[in-house]
Amino acid sequence: MDLNFTPEEERFRAEVRAFLENDVPARLKDKVANGKRLDKADTEQWHALLNGRGWLANHWPTEFGGPGWTAVEKFIFENECAVANTPRIVPFGVNMLGPVLIKYGSTAQQQYWLPRILDGSDWWCQGYSEPGAGSDLAAVRTTAVRGVDADGEHYIVNGQKTWTTLGQHANMIFCLVRTDREAKKQEGISFLLIDMTSPGIEIRPIITLEGEHEVNEVFFTDVRVPSANLVGEENRGWNCAKYLLTYERTNIAGVGLSVAALERLKRVAANTRRHGRPLADDPAFAARMARVEIDLENMKTTNLRMIAAVAGGGVPGAESSMLKIRGTEIRQEILSLTRRAMGVYARPFKQAALEADYDGPQVGPAFAHAASAQYFNNRKLSIFGGSNEIQKNIIAKMILGL
């Protein structure tokens, strides 16, 4: 396989770089580069910029509003965005639900929901994990019972979801619900689209270690959902779930994010002095940086191999689990080294310093305020989207036949 980019792909890279340089507000890039908090308005502005260019749903087919990019162009775009310190695209509507609707949704669902994802009319969140169903996702217990009344056919949903990322901003949630309690675990699950403003829904914040309100619990009490919001067939929602997770796990690899984080780590190590010399010259620290850089280069190659397979008409399989494992481990190691490089400056923690308008005293280098917060927050990378231990089981089954 030729890993060199073609002249056409290099011209595309130049186009992306020009857009990121000229059209994306410096305010957004500065917040990302310095580990500042992004609010809902920041994300909506970023999505609107991309949608105006036709680049938001960059992996959707052209007939549904995608730009018609190849898998390689998508890879280039994501890496250039990460290196330029742009916000991330919130994945739930664009990268997760969109592909599911394109593959399993009805024509009516595609025509109604997909444009609303693109123009920002709907902010989606993901209702998968439950207190007793995380990595064992097939153990979901939230129920949906079909009924009919004067207002039409519907489901009544009861249960609880947890770790619902950015659910406090969402007006819609896609959920795995149990519609057949007697069937085998995977065979009794359905995929529902639920309006978060429906009576009977309660959202409770979960405040994480660094003080962020990023995740939530969502409770459903006799929530009425029109049967038209069922995606695919009843009791066949596991097919939607598996298809969605391949996209989530591939995205979790975050090659571009690791590249950007590694460049920042190198700058920090070059400018931090220990025992009278740059930390980058310390043999033990330099060896760890070299190891993680080698691992990152290897992961890039694996990612490009998977891209080539997708370009040939394939769907990510066990390769997405490989990328999920290595990608999350690499990002965690880079963040760990960055925190170590900050030394004592990583210990003080001021939440106010993570706000864009903070003008108080600066403790250490510019990124010091965010070093520990990002380190602790990203310990979860190896858990969500299916824990790395589960991914190893998938690889053992799909590739090794164990």
Side-chain angles (χ1 to χ4, degrees), residues 96-108:
M96 296 182 187
L97 179 60
V100 169
L101 290 176
I102 289 170
K103 184 172 179 63
Y104 293 102
S106 67
T107 299

Side-chain angles (χ1 to χ4, degrees), residues 1 9 69-74 247 303-316:
M1 185 180 87
E9 290 163 349
W69 289 352
T70 65
V72 174
E73 288 171 331
K74 182 176 180 293
Y247 282 92
N303 203 358
L304 287 169
R305 288 172 57 197
M306 192 189 74
I307 287 170
V310 171
V315 174

Side-chain angles (χ1 to χ4, degrees), residues 151-355:
D151 293 323
E153 196 169 6
H154 60 272
Y155 291 93
I156 299 297
V157 177
N158 286 277
Q160 176 188 356
K161 298 295 180 179
T162 195
W163 309 123
T164 308
T165 303
L166 301 181
Q168 72 271 27
H169 299 324
N171 67 304
M172 295 296 301
I173 182 171
F174 55 87
C175 279
L176 292 184
V177 294
R178 187 158 298 284
T179 44
D180 187 344
R181 298 184 184 183
E182 305 302 323
K184 293 181 180 179
K185 290 197 301 184
Q186 289 90 342
E187 295 176 3
I189 292 174
S190 298
F191 192 100
L192 278 186
L193 312 179
I194 303 176
D195 188 334
M196 292 283 279
T197 65
S198 302
I201 293 182
E202 179 187 1
I203 304 173
R204 299 179 190 171
I206 299 174
I207 305 303
T208 50
L209 185 63
E210 79 283 14
E212 290 291 332
H213 177 195
E214 183 183 36
V215 290
N216 305 269
E217 295 176 288
V218 181
F219 295 86
F220 303 87
T221 303
D222 294 332
V223 177
R224 180 190 175 96
V225 181
S227 60
N229 286 19
L230 171 71
V231 178
E233 300 178 51
E234 186 173 284
N235 299 326
R236 295 291 180 267
W238 192 246
N239 294 329
C240 299
K242 290 189 298 182
Y243 187 74
L244 182 151
L245 282 170
T246 60
Y247 282 92
E248 180 180 8
R249 289 166 186 161
T250 301
N251 189 54
I252 287 173
V255 174
L257 294 171
S258 290
V259 170
L262 181 60
E263 289 303 312
R264 180 173 56 223
L265 170 60
K266 288 179 177 180
R267 290 194 298 271
V268 170
N271 294 320
T272 301
R273 303 190 72 81
R274 298 279 171 83
H275 307 298
R277 61 180 181 176
L279 180 61
D281 293 341
D282 178 81
F285 196 88
R288 287 186 65 174
M289 283 204 306
R291 178 72 265 172
V292 76
E293 185 167 14
I294 291 169
D295 289 342
L296 178 54
E297 289 300 318
N298 288 338
M299 187 177 68
K300 283 184 189 177
T301 302
T302 301
N303 203 358
L304 287 169
R305 288 172 57 197
M306 192 189 74
I307 287 170
V310 171
V315 174
E319 296 87 353
S320 64
S321 293
M322 293 179 185
L323 288 173
K324 198 274 180 178
I325 293 169
R326 295 304 295 135
T328 55
E329 291 174 344
I330 288 168
R331 285 176 64 194
Q332 287 175 340
E333 173 67 357
I334 293 172
L335 291 168
S336 176
L337 289 173
T338 302
R339 178 169 167 263
R340 285 175 177 271
M342 293 292 179
V344 296
Y345 296 120
R347 296 181 64 186
F349 178 60
K350 287 186 175 182
Q351 287 200 44
L354 301 180
E355 301 294 344

Side-chain angles (χ1 to χ4, degrees), residues 129-141:
S129 294
E130 298 181 3
S135 293
D136 183 15
L137 194 56
V140 294
R141 292 184 294 179

